[in-house]
Amino acid sequence: MSTNQITSATTAYQTTEPYKPASATKEADTKAASSTKTGDTSAVVYEKNSTTKAAHNNTKNKNYVTLSKQNQAIVAQLKADANQRSQQLRSLVESMISKQNHTFNMSQLTDSKMYEMLRTGQLAVSPEIRAQAQKDIADDGYWGVEQTSERLFSFAKAISGGDTSKAETLIKAMEKGFRQATKSWGDTLPSICQKTLDTATEKIRNWAKENSTESDDMTDAAQDAFENQATNSALSK
């Protein structure tokens, strides 16, 4: 791979500052505020499923909670960050494929195919990309156990509206996300993913001690986190 090719590939794979739950942006607050009813500035309704009014009325207590503007901003920030990171990793893999396999039809690159190629070592990883991946899954890295579990914990607290009674429900949803990530990955996830699940679970339970319905969004957030960890782990080898 030429120097220009390496530079092009690594451009799509750059780290950003660690997520800071206290730094909700004005833009997120503005979006959250616009979702409230006129005169009601205390909370917004966060619906985890796009259901009809009839279904919504029948499952009101199960399918949504009322979130404060601050929690709404945290959820929005975490989702946006996860989507950006996932796209960066996918762009990186696409760049690697295009440089190593000119006959591959990129329109056929499903997530499962991408994970298979990474998992089975079908792609040659440059020293620069490997070094960056190793940095990202290190103890103090963005996809390391501590930072990833902290993001999952922050998401859990925000989506629960601060209700500690939902702790075990959120843990079950996170475990479901872990299982779904394992299925998507196509094999046992790297050990770092299990460590992250255990650490996030401990944080949620400790939070519940200090101070039920399953959340699909919590499941999705956990699945994305574990899949991204697995991808970085594969790239780091």
Side-chain angles (χ1 to χ4, degrees):
M1 182 182 291
S2 69
T3 302
N4 288 338
Q5 288 175 328
I6 292 173
T7 301
S8 175
T10 54
T11 297
Y13 187 55
Q14 298 174 346
T15 59
T16 57
E17 290 299 315
Y19 165 69
K20 298 178 181 178
S23 60
T25 64
K26 287 185 178 181
E27 180 181 356
D29 282 339
T30 300
K31 289 181 180 179
S34 66
S35 300
T36 62
K37 295 182 179 179
T38 303
D40 178 9
T41 59
S42 61
V44 295
V45 173
Y46 169 66
E47 295 188 46
K48 71 174 185 179
N49 292 321
S50 55
T51 58
T52 62
K53 279 189 176 181
H56 167 73
N57 291 334
N58 289 335
T59 58
K60 181 176 180 181
N61 292 329
K62 181 177 181 180
N63 283 340
Y64 75 90
V65 295
T66 301
L67 299 186
S68 67
K69 288 190 293 183
Q70 181 182 5
N71 284 335
Q72 178 77 3
I74 291 172
V75 170
Q77 182 183 353
L78 285 166
K79 282 186 173 183
D81 182 64
N83 288 336
Q84 179 185 17
R85 288 289 180 152
S86 295
Q87 188 55 52
Q88 284 179 343
L89 285 174
R90 185 177 181 86
S91 295
L92 172 65
V93 174
E94 289 177 349
S95 177
M96 292 168 62
I97 293 174
S98 65
K99 291 173 174 59
Q100 298 175 36
N101 187 347
H102 299 291
T103 64
F104 186 83
N105 186 349
M106 207 63 71
S107 64
Q108 298 178 356
L109 185 63
T110 61
D111 286 347
S112 59
K113 180 61 177 177
M114 178 176 70
Y115 297 147
E116 177 191 351
M117 296 177 78
L118 288 168
R119 192 181 68 247
T120 58
Q122 294 179 38
L123 293 175
V125 181
S126 72
E128 290 79 6
I129 291 176
R130 179 177 292 106
Q132 182 62 62
Q134 290 172 341
K135 179 179 178 181
D136 279 352
I137 63 173
D139 290 343
D140 59 347
Y142 183 88
W143 289 114
V145 172
E146 179 56 32
Q147 287 196 42
T148 305
S149 64
E150 185 62 29
R151 288 193 298 276
L152 288 172
F153 174 46
S154 296
F155 195 97
K157 287 195 299 181
I159 204 172
S160 72
D163 184 354
T164 58
S165 70
K166 292 183 171 63
E168 290 303 318
T169 294
L170 291 167
I171 289 171
K172 288 180 181 178
M174 191 165 58
E175 291 172 342
K176 181 178 178 181
F178 182 90
R179 292 193 297 272
Q180 290 182 349
T182 302
K183 183 177 180 180
S184 296
W185 186 245
D187 199 354
T188 302
L189 289 171
S191 60
I192 188 174
C193 297
Q194 181 64 58
K195 291 178 182 177
T196 299
L197 174 62
D198 294 342
T199 302
T201 297
E202 182 180 8
K203 289 183 177 185
I204 293 174
R205 285 186 173 146
N206 287 340
W207 164 67
K209 289 178 182 178
E210 293 172 2
N211 298 283
S212 106
T213 57
E214 187 173 286
S215 165
D216 288 342
D217 277 328
M218 185 67 225
T219 297
D220 292 343
Q223 180 179 357
D224 289 343
F226 295 132
E227 287 173 353
N228 282 320
Q229 274 195 325
T231 298
N232 276 278
S233 182
L235 289 169
S236 71
K237 295 179 180 178

